[in-house]
Amino acid sequence: MSNTYRDSCGAGLENEEEFVDILEERRRSSDLGHALRTFSPHPYKGAESCSNADLNKAVLESQYLRYMAKEIAAETGSSVEEVREEACEILEEMSQNLQLKCIRLMGFTMTKVLKRLYSGIFVNMEGLNMLQQSIQEHPVILMPNHRSYMDFLIISYIMFTYDIPMPFIAAGIPLSGMKLVGELLRRSGAFFIRRAIGSDKLYWAVLSEYVRTIVKTGIAPLEFYVEGLRSRTLKSVMPKLGMMHMVMEPFFKGEVYDITLIPISISYDRVLEESLLAHELLGIPKLKESTMALLKASKVLQEDYGSMHVNFGRPMSVRHLCEGKINRCQYNLVPRDLPQKPSAEVQACVSWLANLMVRVQEEGSVMGPWALMACLLLQAPTIVLTEEGLPWQELTDKTLWLRKLALDFGARLNWPSGQGQAPDTDVMSSTVALHGSVVNRKAGRVFLVQEKEPVRNRPISPEEEMISTAAAVLMLASYRNMSLHIFVRPALLVTALHITKTTQKDELLAFFCFLQDVFSNEFIFIPGNSSQDFEEACFLLKKCGAVHVSEQEVTVSDAGLEVLSFLQALLQPFIDSYQVIFRYLCENEAHVYAEKQFLTAVRNLATELILSGELHTYEALSSDTHKNVLSALQRLDTVTKSRASEQNEYTVNKAAVRRIDDVLSGKIPPQMLHTTPEAKL
Amino acid sequence: MASNSSGGSDRQRVAQQRLRIITGHLQGREDGDSTIIAAECKAEGSQTDVSREEGKTVPRRRQEIMKWNGWGYSDTKFLFNKKGQAEFTGKRYRLSGMIIPALKEWFEGTFGASLQHKSPAAPVLNSGAVQPPTLNEAFLEELKSTGIPFSHDAEDRVYRAHGHCLHEIFALREGKVGRVPDMVVWPNCHDDVVKIVELACKHDVCLIPYGGGTSVSSGLECPTEETRCIVSVDTSQMNRILWIDEKNLTAHVEAGIVGQDLERLLNESGYCTGHEPDSMEFSSLGGWVATRASGMKKNIYGNIEDLVVHVKMVTPQGVIEKSCRGPRMSTGPDIHHFIMGSEGTLGMVTEVTMKIRPMPEYQKYGSVVFPNFEQGVACLREVAKQRCAPASIRLMDNEQFKFGHALKPQVSSMFTSFLDGLKKFYITKFKGFDPDRLCVATLLFEGGREKVLQHEKQVYDIAAKFGGLAAGEDNGQRGYMLTFVIAYLRDLGMEYYVIGESFETSVPWDRVLDICRNVKARIIGECKNKGVQFQPLSTCRVTQTYDTGACVYFYFAFNYRGLSDPVHVYEQVERAAREEILANGGSLSHHHGVGKLRKEWMRETVSNVGMGMLQSVKDYVDPKNIFGNRNLL
């Protein structure tokens, strides 16, 4: 299964091909000239020429919407006209209004901004050329990862520069509410989707028809984030399936011959909103997206953000990917215009594909020295980082060691060839300098940067101090997360070895699967791919000499202790954080929690434990972790969610949670996992 | 009313035009006899081999007039003459003896083929390559006593061992012969068939009915695993119209008659069946019934299931037939539907009572050019919706339009070519049609003159709403000609490393465009994947319209230079194309049937229970698998 995409269309850029800095030319020639360039893209050959108004009309007049309007009218008791009127309004709120004029304006502004922020924007030309080809052949879906607001228009900017048709971009509705900016985005091709659509049938109907029509007619490439939202942690987010399904449906139903998916990996040396995100994770509410907020944030524009890599992956044919996975005959007996609940087969296929895309995005992402350094910094006790500092020499030595390991594991590293006598040291020095917001280097030691509190009369409370440390740690954790996909599979195996103390391969596999099950909101795995993941982990650990692998056994090698302890420590914060929450759920008397109450309680508990020195990871404070635990427990059927009055409530099956906790702490031997069927959680 | 007495009038000329395309090589009788005609079975083994029995096309020895390794008459073929111009030999067709100047360029341009690269066929059938027959002596002895003519001559057997699938013809051209029938018998009438079937049951002999030999479903292929003596039962001598009933407008006909004879003989009496499958020159009435055939004028006359009033079939259990000729019956499932489409697995159709119609007073071809295929399909859909389809309406895609255009014979006058140029200018420049996107619908109207003209206007008015422009009778007629000469063209291609085939499906209206696009694209994609080095020809036409859907016909051909096993590649691509058809909501077959070529998909097509039903009928009717061609199930 895993190999289907690798054979022919993996993201692989095995032969390290050229990344070209597209800002270089902008620095040399006129920005205005660029904005006013002749734009002559080669569109999809089957595309019907169709204005934005035509597109909206086609959507509203579609058989599907007519049918849905009737059905909804019958259900709600309103008239069909009223429903259609409402559909019309939804569409108005949603639809893009791409205009070249606006693209030019945006292009001009962006050139200015990008030049200020980034030392370079590196794009792989081969990927871009393949994209240019693909666009002419089949409808194309651009699927970037989402790490920063910056992602939003960068693809369009590149497409404009290289004469590729401008995409329509799925965006969150809050953006449309921003004065002026919303309209600008709309005219740059953005269309806006509400959050939490829930069971709003009409909204789903309009949205899905809109998306399908774009794909079917191929009037423009469609760009959307399969992760659904911007990752707050710079880690991949579990993909959302709704949009993915809408996009795929025209292929399933034979309305297009094929659809081409273009995975795009955008990687940043330094993310614009790093501190904002860390605070958000600590429960300091996110600023509402508004134009004023954007202007206020403009001070971030004064800083240096290093470079950005945009890696256009190899085009992937949906037809090829779905071969043998979907029996398209299932659509034969019902008119294709009518709503049809997707079969289990279709759902599985869509989910598989979405996860696959995330994996390919991960494989295509480029990480710099900072991601490696962040891993290592986080493994030092926080107190060391805040008080005495980590010796620079130790950090650099360790980083170089880790670089080798990462390369062994197949990482795509952006390690500039520095100048001077010790080029590698220079690279690391400038990396640390770039991330002055997180760490600083003083007297041969590296310290975590604490936020400067406004001078006050009263002393800073321990809690306040902790928040400021936590913000820095979470920023560091985010940068570490950029490298997690490289290490996570071997790290899971190492964790399995460590917890179970067994060497039996089948037991290790069982535990490995268990860990994947528990942490699959944290790290993205392709469903049904566990055995291959396990094999991959064995292979990589063997490759770097950390373990011996035989037919039956995996044994630790003496030479591999450094690798093993690094990998184990890499996942420890996740395990610790999960266990804190598990224990909270088990030991507390209540069975039912309101969402808010739960989140506050968990955060307070974690704060307490950290202050008392019982818990060593600040990541337990991250709301992302809390939400992931809840989702994981729901997925594992140990917690059920219900909607009570204003907010969600969670009912906990304590025995089941306790069992997971026991397995995770090694109290239940892996044989039990293996033998009892219900152990497969 | 119909009459065909006085030739010469304009109206009459047009009415006869189409028939002349097909049967122009034969001399029809001047006058018809419009009384009930009766004929009797004259089964005599000693009867001499009258190959030219008046009005009958197919002799007992097919080799006298037909190719052994290609389509149709021996004297008729396409070739590139010394000047490199394409030419159609013989005198049988309208196109015969003509130079077709544009064909070479089209051929070379479309396939990347070259006249320098030839792939000639084995010149003669080497009888040595044919396995000696496995004869069932007891059966043979008893058969001799009946006086029914038979043969185990190698040529006779090879002729009846194949239909016209690409792999069958390709093998013959290479001189390769697989399992062939061990003998051929020529029953002369229903009773002969009864005797043959009885003897076969008695001696456990495998029978394979053979009509016109035009199967494209591997239906005539002898199962390799068959160890019994295989007897090919050739119905070609059962070719009489036994009676015509003018009061009820039916004709009772022996099943071996081929389409062109049936039409011509009926025409002599002022009637027609109107059933004109593209293979009608050679395919037989029994074959039509056994495969659920469809005729191009089904919009007026209906498909075979609409035309059949009564059928007689000889099975190992005896003769199956209905007791009356009522036009419709509510007597349980229609037993005709066990017979129609049984593909020779249950028994032999021997006699059929068919509907007949007075010959049409007036016929007129027509054509409409559309700016693109989408518009064309929309127009056909509208025509079907308004239920005003002409006798035939077909929509060719752009590639097929160009193909048809390449078959234009040399024009005789400067004026015609000037007119053509003007027409082209008008359509492409003035009306702005893209020559690489436009497509053509061909039309055939039939009926009373007034009605035809009225009908024509109605159809052209609809076409205009979809951007269609009337493009003349000539284009229309040439479109139909293409379907009659396509099989000859395939033989030409095979001389130059080009192999190809056609296949068909039926599909609901809303899927027509999607299936056309996807199947064509799949063919091109698969060819690429399988290492075909040249762009294939992948084209389609919507060839029949129904209330709820249409029949789509695909042509697919490619230049196989550089491939070690072209037939295997071809079969893989065709298989993929069929998968694509099914995935896009198309049927397994609209009229070619299943045979052995498509039976792997039967179960998913008719469900497990459906298969069980069919199997139980087979088990009852033919428990010893006497009719052992192994088609369908």
Side-chain angles (χ1 to χ4, degrees), chain A residues 564-588:
Chain A
L564 297 178
S565 67
F566 166 77
L567 290 175
Q568 195 223 317
L570 189 67
L571 292 195
Q572 201 58 49
F574 295 97
I575 293 177
D576 288 346
S577 306
Y578 272 52
Q579 283 187 324
V580 165
I581 301 174
F582 289 162
R583 278 165 207 171
Y584 168 76
L585 288 175
C586 293
E587 285 158 20
N588 210 301

PDB file of all heavy atoms in Angstrom, chain A residues 564-588:
ATOM      1  N   LEU A 564      19.492   6.093  20.569  1.00  0.00           N
ATOM      2  CA  LEU A 564      18.320   5.631  21.294  1.00  0.00           C
ATOM      3  C   LEU A 564      17.871   6.643  22.332  1.00  0.00           C
ATOM      4  O   LEU A 564      16.685   6.954  22.445  1.00  0.00           O
ATOM      5  CB  LEU A 564      18.598   4.279  21.950  1.00  0.00           C
ATOM      6  CG  LEU A 564      18.900   3.136  20.981  1.00  0.00           C
ATOM      7  CD1 LEU A 564      19.203   1.851  21.740  1.00  0.00           C
ATOM      8  CD2 LEU A 564      17.728   2.917  20.030  1.00  0.00           C
ATOM      9  N   SER A 565      18.827   7.173  23.069  1.00  0.00           N
ATOM     10  CA  SER A 565      18.407   8.093  24.121  1.00  0.00           C
ATOM     11  C   SER A 565      17.893   9.389  23.508  1.00  0.00           C
ATOM     12  O   SER A 565      16.940   9.989  24.016  1.00  0.00           O
ATOM     13  CB  SER A 565      19.536   8.348  25.121  1.00  0.00           C
ATOM     14  OG  SER A 565      20.572   9.054  24.484  1.00  0.00           O
ATOM     15  N   PHE A 566      18.485   9.805  22.394  1.00  0.00           N
ATOM     16  CA  PHE A 566      17.954  11.004  21.737  1.00  0.00           C
ATOM     17  C   PHE A 566      16.503  10.787  21.291  1.00  0.00           C
ATOM     18  O   PHE A 566      15.619  11.602  21.557  1.00  0.00           O
ATOM     19  CB  PHE A 566      18.808  11.383  20.528  1.00  0.00           C
ATOM     20  CG  PHE A 566      18.136  12.392  19.637  1.00  0.00           C
ATOM     21  CD1 PHE A 566      18.094  13.733  20.000  1.00  0.00           C
ATOM     22  CD2 PHE A 566      17.495  12.013  18.452  1.00  0.00           C
ATOM     23  CE1 PHE A 566      17.450  14.672  19.216  1.00  0.00           C
ATOM     24  CE2 PHE A 566      16.844  12.950  17.654  1.00  0.00           C
ATOM     25  CZ  PHE A 566      16.825  14.274  18.038  1.00  0.00           C
ATOM     26  N   LEU A 567      16.278   9.675  20.637  1.00  0.00           N
ATOM     27  CA  LEU A 567      14.934   9.437  20.089  1.00  0.00           C
ATOM     28  C   LEU A 567      13.905   9.252  21.190  1.00  0.00           C
ATOM     29  O   LEU A 567      12.770   9.708  21.086  1.00  0.00           O
ATOM     30  CB  LEU A 567      14.958   8.219  19.157  1.00  0.00           C
ATOM     31  CG  LEU A 567      15.706   8.424  17.837  1.00  0.00           C
ATOM     32  CD1 LEU A 567      15.767   7.125  17.059  1.00  0.00           C
ATOM     33  CD2 LEU A 567      15.045   9.514  17.005  1.00  0.00           C
ATOM     34  N   GLN A 568      14.340   8.577  22.251  1.00  0.00           N
ATOM     35  CA  GLN A 568      13.402   8.370  23.338  1.00  0.00           C
ATOM     36  C   GLN A 568      13.046   9.700  23.984  1.00  0.00           C
ATOM     37  O   GLN A 568      11.879   9.982  24.265  1.00  0.00           O
ATOM     38  CB  GLN A 568      14.008   7.409  24.350  1.00  0.00           C
ATOM     39  CG  GLN A 568      12.984   6.851  25.309  1.00  0.00           C
ATOM     40  CD  GLN A 568      13.525   6.842  26.711  1.00  0.00           C
ATOM     41  OE1 GLN A 568      14.687   6.475  26.934  1.00  0.00           O
ATOM     42  NE2 GLN A 568      12.707   7.255  27.649  1.00  0.00           N
ATOM     43  N   ALA A 569      14.058  10.519  24.186  1.00  0.00           N
ATOM     44  CA  ALA A 569      13.835  11.825  24.806  1.00  0.00           C
ATOM     45  C   ALA A 569      12.973  12.714  23.905  1.00  0.00           C
ATOM     46  O   ALA A 569      12.226  13.567  24.382  1.00  0.00           O
ATOM     47  CB  ALA A 569      15.167  12.506  25.094  1.00  0.00           C
ATOM     48  N   LEU A 570      13.066  12.479  22.612  1.00  0.00           N
ATOM     49  CA  LEU A 570      12.294  13.289  21.671  1.00  0.00           C
ATOM     50  C   LEU A 570      10.790  13.133  21.914  1.00  0.00           C
ATOM     51  O   LEU A 570      10.026  14.087  21.815  1.00  0.00           O
ATOM     52  CB  LEU A 570      12.644  12.847  20.245  1.00  0.00           C
ATOM     53  CG  LEU A 570      12.113  13.696  19.096  1.00  0.00           C
ATOM     54  CD1 LEU A 570      12.780  15.061  19.105  1.00  0.00           C
ATOM     55  CD2 LEU A 570      12.362  13.005  17.774  1.00  0.00           C
ATOM     56  N   LEU A 571      10.368  11.897  22.217  1.00  0.00           N
ATOM     57  CA  LEU A 571       8.934  11.663  22.402  1.00  0.00           C
ATOM     58  C   LEU A 571       8.482  11.805  23.850  1.00  0.00           C
ATOM     59  O   LEU A 571       7.286  11.843  24.125  1.00  0.00           O
ATOM     60  CB  LEU A 571       8.557  10.264  21.888  1.00  0.00           C
ATOM     61  CG  LEU A 571       8.654  10.038  20.393  1.00  0.00           C
ATOM     62  CD1 LEU A 571       7.904   8.764  20.018  1.00  0.00           C
ATOM     63  CD2 LEU A 571       8.083  11.203  19.596  1.00  0.00           C
ATOM     64  N   GLN A 572       9.450  11.868  24.758  1.00  0.00           N
ATOM     65  CA  GLN A 572       9.086  11.872  26.174  1.00  0.00           C
ATOM     66  C   GLN A 572       8.089  12.977  26.534  1.00  0.00           C
ATOM     67  O   GLN A 572       7.113  12.717  27.239  1.00  0.00           O
ATOM     68  CB  GLN A 572      10.357  11.981  27.044  1.00  0.00           C
ATOM     69  CG  GLN A 572      10.146  11.506  28.468  1.00  0.00           C
ATOM     70  CD  GLN A 572       9.662  10.054  28.527  1.00  0.00           C
ATOM     71  OE1 GLN A 572      10.238   9.171  27.890  1.00  0.00           O
ATOM     72  NE2 GLN A 572       8.586   9.802  29.257  1.00  0.00           N
ATOM     73  N   PRO A 573       8.267  14.193  26.021  1.00  0.00           N
ATOM     74  CA  PRO A 573       7.302  15.243  26.387  1.00  0.00           C
ATOM     75  C   PRO A 573       5.871  14.876  26.014  1.00  0.00           C
ATOM     76  O   PRO A 573       4.941  15.194  26.750  1.00  0.00           O
ATOM     77  CB  PRO A 573       7.764  16.448  25.571  1.00  0.00           C
ATOM     78  CG  PRO A 573       9.189  16.196  25.255  1.00  0.00           C
ATOM     79  CD  PRO A 573       9.368  14.718  25.198  1.00  0.00           C
ATOM     80  N   PHE A 574       5.711  14.196  24.905  1.00  0.00           N
ATOM     81  CA  PHE A 574       4.361  13.824  24.471  1.00  0.00           C
ATOM     82  C   PHE A 574       3.783  12.788  25.429  1.00  0.00           C
ATOM     83  O   PHE A 574       2.641  12.890  25.858  1.00  0.00           O
ATOM     84  CB  PHE A 574       4.385  13.265  23.049  1.00  0.00           C
ATOM     85  CG  PHE A 574       4.808  14.280  22.035  1.00  0.00           C
ATOM     86  CD1 PHE A 574       6.120  14.359  21.588  1.00  0.00           C
ATOM     87  CD2 PHE A 574       3.894  15.198  21.539  1.00  0.00           C
ATOM     88  CE1 PHE A 574       6.510  15.311  20.660  1.00  0.00           C
ATOM     89  CE2 PHE A 574       4.277  16.153  20.620  1.00  0.00           C
ATOM     90  CZ  PHE A 574       5.587  16.218  20.178  1.00  0.00           C
ATOM     91  N   ILE A 575       4.623  11.800  25.759  1.00  0.00           N
ATOM     92  CA  ILE A 575       4.138  10.740  26.633  1.00  0.00           C
ATOM     93  C   ILE A 575       3.812  11.312  28.002  1.00  0.00           C
ATOM     94  O   ILE A 575       2.745  11.048  28.573  1.00  0.00           O
ATOM     95  CB  ILE A 575       5.191   9.619  26.711  1.00  0.00           C
ATOM     96  CG1 ILE A 575       5.274   8.955  25.332  1.00  0.00           C
ATOM     97  CG2 ILE A 575       4.835   8.602  27.794  1.00  0.00           C
ATOM     98  CD1 ILE A 575       6.297   7.891  25.193  1.00  0.00           C
ATOM     99  N   ASP A 576       4.703  12.152  28.501  1.00  0.00           N
ATOM    100  CA  ASP A 576       4.466  12.757  29.818  1.00  0.00           C
ATOM    101  C   ASP A 576       3.174  13.564  29.817  1.00  0.00           C
ATOM    102  O   ASP A 576       2.350  13.449  30.722  1.00  0.00           O
ATOM    103  CB  ASP A 576       5.641  13.670  30.197  1.00  0.00           C
ATOM    104  CG  ASP A 576       6.888  12.871  30.537  1.00  0.00           C
ATOM    105  OD1 ASP A 576       6.754  11.635  30.729  1.00  0.00           O
ATOM    106  OD2 ASP A 576       7.982  13.459  30.594  1.00  0.00           O
ATOM    107  N   SER A 577       3.010  14.377  28.789  1.00  0.00           N
ATOM    108  CA  SER A 577       1.826  15.233  28.740  1.00  0.00           C
ATOM    109  C   SER A 577       0.553  14.403  28.689  1.00  0.00           C
ATOM    110  O   SER A 577      -0.424  14.693  29.375  1.00  0.00           O
ATOM    111  CB  SER A 577       1.862  16.144  27.509  1.00  0.00           C
ATOM    112  OG  SER A 577       3.058  16.864  27.468  1.00  0.00           O
ATOM    113  N   TYR A 578       0.577  13.352  27.871  1.00  0.00           N
ATOM    114  CA  TYR A 578      -0.612  12.519  27.763  1.00  0.00           C
ATOM    115  C   TYR A 578      -0.919  11.866  29.106  1.00  0.00           C
ATOM    116  O   TYR A 578      -2.075  11.772  29.518  1.00  0.00           O
ATOM    117  CB  TYR A 578      -0.422  11.459  26.669  1.00  0.00           C
ATOM    118  CG  TYR A 578      -0.839  11.936  25.286  1.00  0.00           C
ATOM    119  CD1 TYR A 578      -0.347  13.136  24.768  1.00  0.00           C
ATOM    120  CD2 TYR A 578      -1.719  11.196  24.501  1.00  0.00           C
ATOM    121  CE1 TYR A 578      -0.714  13.571  23.514  1.00  0.00           C
ATOM    122  CE2 TYR A 578      -2.098  11.629  23.235  1.00  0.00           C
ATOM    123  CZ  TYR A 578      -1.590  12.819  22.740  1.00  0.00           C
ATOM    124  OH  TYR A 578      -1.962  13.258  21.500  1.00  0.00           O
ATOM    125  N   GLN A 579       0.146  11.436  29.766  1.00  0.00           N
ATOM    126  CA  GLN A 579      -0.094  10.718  31.028  1.00  0.00           C
ATOM    127  C   GLN A 579      -0.655  11.631  32.101  1.00  0.00           C
ATOM    128  O   GLN A 579      -1.505  11.222  32.890  1.00  0.00           O
ATOM    129  CB  GLN A 579       1.197  10.045  31.490  1.00  0.00           C
ATOM    130  CG  GLN A 579       1.439   8.784  30.669  1.00  0.00           C
ATOM    131  CD  GLN A 579       2.603   7.948  31.155  1.00  0.00           C
ATOM    132  OE1 GLN A 579       3.605   8.499  31.604  1.00  0.00           O
ATOM    133  NE2 GLN A 579       2.469   6.642  31.065  1.00  0.00           N
ATOM    134  N   VAL A 580      -0.235  12.873  32.087  1.00  0.00           N
ATOM    135  CA  VAL A 580      -0.796  13.826  33.046  1.00  0.00           C
ATOM    136  C   VAL A 580      -2.305  13.910  32.866  1.00  0.00           C
ATOM    137  O   VAL A 580      -3.083  13.850  33.822  1.00  0.00           O
ATOM    138  CB  VAL A 580      -0.157  15.223  32.856  1.00  0.00           C
ATOM    139  CG1 VAL A 580      -0.982  16.283  33.578  1.00  0.00           C
ATOM    140  CG2 VAL A 580       1.268  15.214  33.354  1.00  0.00           C
ATOM    141  N   ILE A 581      -2.701  13.985  31.617  1.00  0.00           N
ATOM    142  CA  ILE A 581      -4.131  14.132  31.354  1.00  0.00           C
ATOM    143  C   ILE A 581      -4.888  12.839  31.644  1.00  0.00           C
ATOM    144  O   ILE A 581      -5.962  12.850  32.235  1.00  0.00           O
ATOM    145  CB  ILE A 581      -4.346  14.602  29.907  1.00  0.00           C
ATOM    146  CG1 ILE A 581      -3.635  15.936  29.711  1.00  0.00           C
ATOM    147  CG2 ILE A 581      -5.835  14.721  29.593  1.00  0.00           C
ATOM    148  CD1 ILE A 581      -3.648  16.456  28.307  1.00  0.00           C
ATOM    149  N   PHE A 582      -4.290  11.735  31.250  1.00  0.00           N
ATOM    150  CA  PHE A 582      -4.927  10.447  31.545  1.00  0.00           C
ATOM    151  C   PHE A 582      -5.172  10.332  33.040  1.00  0.00           C
ATOM    152  O   PHE A 582      -6.243   9.930  33.490  1.00  0.00           O
ATOM    153  CB  PHE A 582      -4.032   9.290  31.102  1.00  0.00           C
ATOM    154  CG  PHE A 582      -3.932   9.127  29.603  1.00  0.00           C
ATOM    155  CD1 PHE A 582      -2.897   8.396  29.031  1.00  0.00           C
ATOM    156  CD2 PHE A 582      -4.879   9.697  28.763  1.00  0.00           C
ATOM    157  CE1 PHE A 582      -2.802   8.244  27.667  1.00  0.00           C
ATOM    158  CE2 PHE A 582      -4.782   9.540  27.388  1.00  0.00           C
ATOM    159  CZ  PHE A 582      -3.740   8.817  26.848  1.00  0.00           C
ATOM    160  N   ARG A 583      -4.147  10.687  33.800  1.00  0.00           N
ATOM    161  CA  ARG A 583      -4.265  10.525  35.252  1.00  0.00           C
ATOM    162  C   ARG A 583      -5.296  11.483  35.817  1.00  0.00           C
ATOM    163  O   ARG A 583      -6.075  11.125  36.700  1.00  0.00           O
ATOM    164  CB  ARG A 583      -2.900  10.707  35.916  1.00  0.00           C
ATOM    165  CG  ARG A 583      -2.142   9.386  35.811  1.00  0.00           C
ATOM    166  CD  ARG A 583      -0.683   9.460  36.089  1.00  0.00           C
ATOM    167  NE  ARG A 583      -0.043   8.369  35.335  1.00  0.00           N
ATOM    168  CZ  ARG A 583       1.267   8.228  35.212  1.00  0.00           C
ATOM    169  NH1 ARG A 583       2.092   9.119  35.762  1.00  0.00           N
ATOM    170  NH2 ARG A 583       1.749   7.218  34.531  1.00  0.00           N
ATOM    171  N   TYR A 584      -5.318  12.651  35.267  1.00  0.00           N
ATOM    172  CA  TYR A 584      -6.334  13.603  35.719  1.00  0.00           C
ATOM    173  C   TYR A 584      -7.728  13.014  35.500  1.00  0.00           C
ATOM    174  O   TYR A 584      -8.577  13.047  36.396  1.00  0.00           O
ATOM    175  CB  TYR A 584      -6.184  14.919  34.965  1.00  0.00           C
ATOM    176  CG  TYR A 584      -7.369  15.844  35.162  1.00  0.00           C
ATOM    177  CD1 TYR A 584      -7.532  16.546  36.355  1.00  0.00           C
ATOM    178  CD2 TYR A 584      -8.344  15.989  34.164  1.00  0.00           C
ATOM    179  CE1 TYR A 584      -8.619  17.368  36.555  1.00  0.00           C
ATOM    180  CE2 TYR A 584      -9.437  16.808  34.361  1.00  0.00           C
ATOM    181  CZ  TYR A 584      -9.572  17.502  35.555  1.00  0.00           C
ATOM    182  OH  TYR A 584     -10.651  18.307  35.743  1.00  0.00           O
ATOM    183  N   LEU A 585      -7.922  12.450  34.339  1.00  0.00           N
ATOM    184  CA  LEU A 585      -9.241  11.907  34.014  1.00  0.00           C
ATOM    185  C   LEU A 585      -9.588  10.721  34.899  1.00  0.00           C
ATOM    186  O   LEU A 585     -10.730  10.525  35.295  1.00  0.00           O
ATOM    187  CB  LEU A 585      -9.288  11.480  32.540  1.00  0.00           C
ATOM    188  CG  LEU A 585      -9.324  12.616  31.522  1.00  0.00           C
ATOM    189  CD1 LEU A 585      -9.237  12.059  30.109  1.00  0.00           C
ATOM    190  CD2 LEU A 585     -10.596  13.437  31.686  1.00  0.00           C
ATOM    191  N   CYS A 586      -8.599   9.907  35.214  1.00  0.00           N
ATOM    192  CA  CYS A 586      -8.872   8.704  35.991  1.00  0.00           C
ATOM    193  C   CYS A 586      -9.092   9.023  37.461  1.00  0.00           C
ATOM    194  O   CYS A 586      -9.925   8.422  38.123  1.00  0.00           O
ATOM    195  CB  CYS A 586      -7.707   7.727  35.884  1.00  0.00           C
ATOM    196  SG  CYS A 586      -7.502   7.071  34.257  1.00  0.00           S
ATOM    197  N   GLU A 587      -8.271   9.957  37.953  1.00  0.00           N
ATOM    198  CA  GLU A 587      -8.285  10.174  39.399  1.00  0.00           C
ATOM    199  C   GLU A 587      -9.369  11.132  39.847  1.00  0.00           C
ATOM    200  O   GLU A 587      -9.815  11.102  40.972  1.00  0.00           O
ATOM    201  CB  GLU A 587      -6.904  10.664  39.854  1.00  0.00           C
ATOM    202  CG  GLU A 587      -5.903   9.505  39.856  1.00  0.00           C
ATOM    203  CD  GLU A 587      -4.459   9.979  39.758  1.00  0.00           C
ATOM    204  OE1 GLU A 587      -4.205  11.161  40.067  1.00  0.00           O
ATOM    205  OE2 GLU A 587      -3.596   9.163  39.354  1.00  0.00           O
ATOM    206  N   ASN A 588      -9.786  11.969  38.959  1.00  0.00           N
ATOM    207  CA  ASN A 588     -10.848  12.896  39.321  1.00  0.00           C
ATOM    208  C   ASN A 588     -12.153  12.150  39.512  1.00  0.00           C
ATOM    209  O   ASN A 588     -12.368  11.095  38.914  1.00  0.00           O
ATOM    210  CB  ASN A 588     -10.993  13.934  38.205  1.00  0.00           C
ATOM    211  CG  ASN A 588     -11.460  15.237  38.762  1.00  0.00           C
ATOM    212  OD1 ASN A 588     -12.521  15.293  39.364  1.00  0.00           O
ATOM    213  ND2 ASN A 588     -10.659  16.267  38.577  1.00  0.00           N
TER     214      ASN A 588
END
